[in-house]
Amino acid sequence: MTKRLRVIAIVIGLLALFSGSSISAYNEESLSVTIIEGNNKSTANLTEAVSVEKLLELQGIEISEDDELNYALDYIVSDGDEIEIKHNIYVTIYYDGVPRMVRTTSLTVGELLKSLSSDYEDHEYYLQDDIKESTELEDGMTIELSSTLVREVTTYETVEKSIEYRDTDDLAEGTERVVQEGSDGLIEIVSEETYVGSQLSQTVEISREVVTEPVNCIIERGTATMVSTPAGDFKYSESLTVVATGYTQYDEGCTSTTATGTAAIRGAIAVDPSVIPLGSKIYVPGYGIGTAEDIEGAIEGYRIDLCYNSVNEAYAWGVQTVTVYILQ
């Protein structure tokens, strides 16, 4: 063999070697298959494509002829396939105590009852307390249904607050004042309700407990006779209609001192002591609050004189008939 032929042979051999390695590497590339068994999911990595039956054997998963698969047993799996298995199990359903055994591939209680809805479509049913529709089914499981539901419920009842009225002479008659808003009370009521189907057939009260006692609303009602003045509201013991005349210490027959020894200035009022006792506080609308401090010979009965500091003020008042109030 010539040198050139030996070189060609070596090249061909190397090509064959590398080509064979690539093919081998390709054949050994793994396949990833997902197996969904009920609510469990796992992944199987294979070095070669196999049938579903062989895959389950390799994974140690046993199935029966009643189980459901989404692929036939002789199907050759491909990369990315999802093999779903639903095992057929026995479940016993008690409806109002009457047993019924069923086979199902449902995964949850809700799926099973939905698949059997035609058998219960004319009935309302309730699950036992420890079973929910989301509960996973297990082989040999017992499910209790009841057409009658008894449940305990808690409700609350409001006890309205009472209104308590109190008379007070601190307020004018006909007026009111809230001194305590009060609050409603609350009662907790525990009852037992019985349903037949969807209809409430009976309610029995089990207990009744006061959670919060009501607090009375307290309102004061005025009993005092009062008059509003620029200086505020004042109680009065009597109101009189009198003829009032303005005067000053400068008038004829008057002095700078009243009969009780006080200064004859605005606020001093001359009265008939038999009608208005000396020392009485008097409110005269348009004049203000004064004191019965003076006596004049011309003042008899329901007449009063109102002292002013200036003649002009006294003339401005003149003589008026007014209702005055003897303050307490």
Side-chain angles (χ1 to χ4, degrees), residues 35 49 64 76 145 167 279 281-282 294-295 313:
I35 301 174
S64 70
I76 305 302
L145 302 179
D167 292 337
K281 290 290 184 181
I282 307 170
D294 208 357
I295 299 173
E313 288 177 306

Side-chain angles (χ1 to χ4, degrees), residues 95-96 116-125 147 196-198:
Y95 186 73
D96 284 342
L116 300 174
S117 60
S118 60
D119 298 326
Y120 301 105
E121 60 186 0
D122 295 329
H123 305 276
E124 293 285 345
Y125 56 82
S147 60
V196 176
S198 61

Side-chain angles (χ1 to χ4, degrees), residues 1 30 80 98 178 199 202 237 253 277 299 324 327:
M1 179 181 296
S30 64
V98 179
V178 177
Q199 300 299 315
Q202 185 181 35
S237 58
I299 299 299
V324 300
L327 305 181

Side-chain angles (χ1 to χ4, degrees), residues 211-250:
V211 177
T212 306
E213 293 282 357
V215 178
N216 288 349
C217 172
I218 300 176
I219 299 177
E220 290 183 337
R221 294 188 295 196
T223 58
T225 50
M226 300 188 74
V227 61
S228 295
T229 78
D233 295 339
F234 294 90
K235 301 177 190 176
Y236 67 93
S237 58
E238 188 179 4
S239 64
L240 304 170
T241 299
V242 300
V243 176
T245 303
Y247 82 101
T248 72
Q249 60 177 281
Y250 311 111

Side-chain angles (χ1 to χ4, degrees), residues 154-175:
T154 301
T155 58
Y156 294 91
E157 183 179 290
T158 298
V159 181
E160 292 188 2
K161 61 186 176 184
S162 299
I163 299 178
E164 178 183 347
Y165 290 97
R166 296 178 182 176
D167 292 337
T168 176
D169 62 0
D170 289 335
L171 297 175
E173 186 176 8
T175 62

Side-chain angles (χ1 to χ4, degrees), residues 233-278:
D233 295 339
F234 294 90
K235 301 177 190 176
Y236 67 93
S237 58
E238 188 179 4
S239 64
L240 304 170
T241 299
V242 300
V243 176
T245 303
Y247 82 101
T248 72
Q249 60 177 281
Y250 311 111
D251 293 350
E252 185 177 352
C254 295
T255 65
S256 61
T257 304
T258 67
T260 58
T262 60
I265 57 176
R266 183 183 176 97
I269 300 176
V271 299
D272 180 347
S274 65
V275 177
I276 300 175
L278 288 173

